[in-house]
Every structure is written in structure tokens, then in C-alpha cells.
Amino acid sequence: DDAARGAGEEVEALRSRREAGIFLSEGPLQLLLDGKWEGGELAEGVISEVERYLEGEGADASLQMAARAALRKPAAKLSNFDRLTAGCLADFVARRSAEIDVQLAEDRLASAKVEKLIAGATAEAVRARSSGLAFVCLEAQSGAKAAAEAREEARSCLAKQCDECRDALAESESHAQKLEELEEVLAMVGR
């Protein structure tokens, strides 16, 4: 029962993170990027919220720094780098939301499998008790235990996949940063 409660809290936390990202990207962040919400205490609050989101979601430090600078500029004064940063920021939020969607889907699938195993084991236990076959009841209990272990194994696998996604994302962001630096150097050389 504690494992189920913990799993429910984990799913709620994932949903909350996803909703926070979507809210920021479709609401205040979009207004900032469109130049419809420049300066002022309220804009600073939104920028701080974006910074907390990026930090909480493990965004690369370079993206955090670039976003911090770009979001504080009026839309008319955004450089190409600032616009690229805004695009990377939107992509980051979209990727995080997609990753969370995958986690939620995998969790639902694992939960459904476990529930099916538990239901089968429970039905078998009821049949065993009603027919007086104690050894079958033990097998059903073993099946329920196996189902719970399968759920934990699925969670472990999911956590590993999430770590791999984070590593791939960090590598992708690193490559994007290097590409940006090369583009800047090429732009300087071309002048």
C-alpha cells in the first residue's frame, strides 16, 4: 500500500513538472519572447520563475546563463544569439514535457501490467481458498510478490532510461553550444 501511495505521489510530481513547463512556455514565457511583457517587477518574477524551472529541470548552465540575459532584453534588441537562445529554451521545455509524457506512459503501462498480475494472483488465491488447496494459495501469493517485484524492476528500468535521456540531452545541448560558438567565430572571420 505504501508503494502504491509512493507511486501515486511520483506520478503527481511528474504531472506537476509537465504542467509547469507547459504553463511557462505557452503563457508568460511566450509573452516575454514576443516582447509583449517587457520590464517591470512582474516580468522579473516570470524571469525568476523560468530560471527556477530551468535549474530544477537540470538545464545546461550555458542555456541558463544565455536565457537569463536574453529574457531581460526588449524584443526589439534581441541579437541572433538571443533569438537562438529563445528557440533553445522553447525546445528544452518541449523536450522535457515529451520526456515526462514518456515516463507517465511507461508508468501507466507498468501499473496496468502489475494490476493485471495482482488481479490474476488474487483470483487464483480466492479459488485456492475456496477449494481448500493451500499450495495453490501460496503460488498465488508468490505471483503477487512477483508482480510487485516486476513493478519495481519497471520503475528501475524507467529511471535508467530517464538518466540516458538526460545524458543524451546534455550531449545534444553541448553540441548545440559548440555549433553556436563555431557560427560566431565564422561570422567574425567572415566580416
Side-chain angles (χ1 to χ4, degrees):
D1 195 38
D2 288 339
R5 189 176 15 262
E9 290 170 1
E10 206 173 292
V11 167
E12 269 313 303
L14 284 173
R15 286 185 181 139
S16 178
R17 284 175 46 211
R18 182 181 180 279
E19 289 169 9
I22 290 172
F23 171 76
L24 280 176
S25 69
E26 292 178 357
L29 177 59
Q30 192 60 51
L31 290 172
L32 281 170
L33 295 175
D34 291 343
K36 296 178 182 172
W37 201 356
E38 295 177 357
E41 195 173 304
L42 196 51
E44 270 306 310
V46 172
I47 293 169
S48 294
E49 203 52 44
V50 170
E51 290 171 346
R52 276 192 295 278
Y53 173 80
L54 291 174
E55 185 176 333
E57 289 298 321
D60 187 73
S62 60
L63 177 61
Q64 290 182 45
M65 288 174 42
R68 187 173 298 125
L71 291 175
R72 285 184 168 79
K73 291 182 182 178
K77 294 186 179 182
L78 292 177
S79 67
N80 287 338
F81 180 76
D82 295 328
R83 285 185 192 82
L84 182 63
T85 298
C88 289
L89 185 56
D91 289 346
F92 177 81
V93 173
R95 278 194 310 268
R96 269 305 183 258
S97 292
E99 289 170 4
I100 291 171
D101 285 342
V102 168
Q103 283 181 278
L104 289 170
E106 288 175 346
D107 192 56
R108 282 192 301 271
L109 179 62
S111 293
K113 287 180 180 178
V114 168
E115 287 175 17
K116 184 177 178 182
L117 287 171
I118 289 173
T122 302
E124 191 65 31
V126 168
R127 278 195 297 276
R129 285 187 183 130
S130 67
S131 66
L133 298 174
F135 70 94
V136 176
C137 183
L138 289 174
E139 287 179 19
Q141 289 173 344
S142 175
K145 182 179 178 184
E149 291 171 356
R151 181 181 189 139
E152 287 305 312
E153 185 178 329
R155 283 179 185 271
S156 174
C157 182
L158 178 60
K160 181 180 177 187
Q161 288 174 347
C162 289
D163 289 343
E164 291 171 358
C165 284
R166 283 188 196 96
D167 292 345
L169 179 61
E171 184 177 341
S172 172
E173 290 173 351
S174 173
H175 290 299
Q177 179 67 30
K178 288 176 184 174
L179 180 61
E180 290 171 15
E181 292 171 1
L182 285 173
E183 288 173 351
E184 288 178 17
V185 169
L186 287 173
M188 287 183 210
V189 170
R191 290 182 195 170

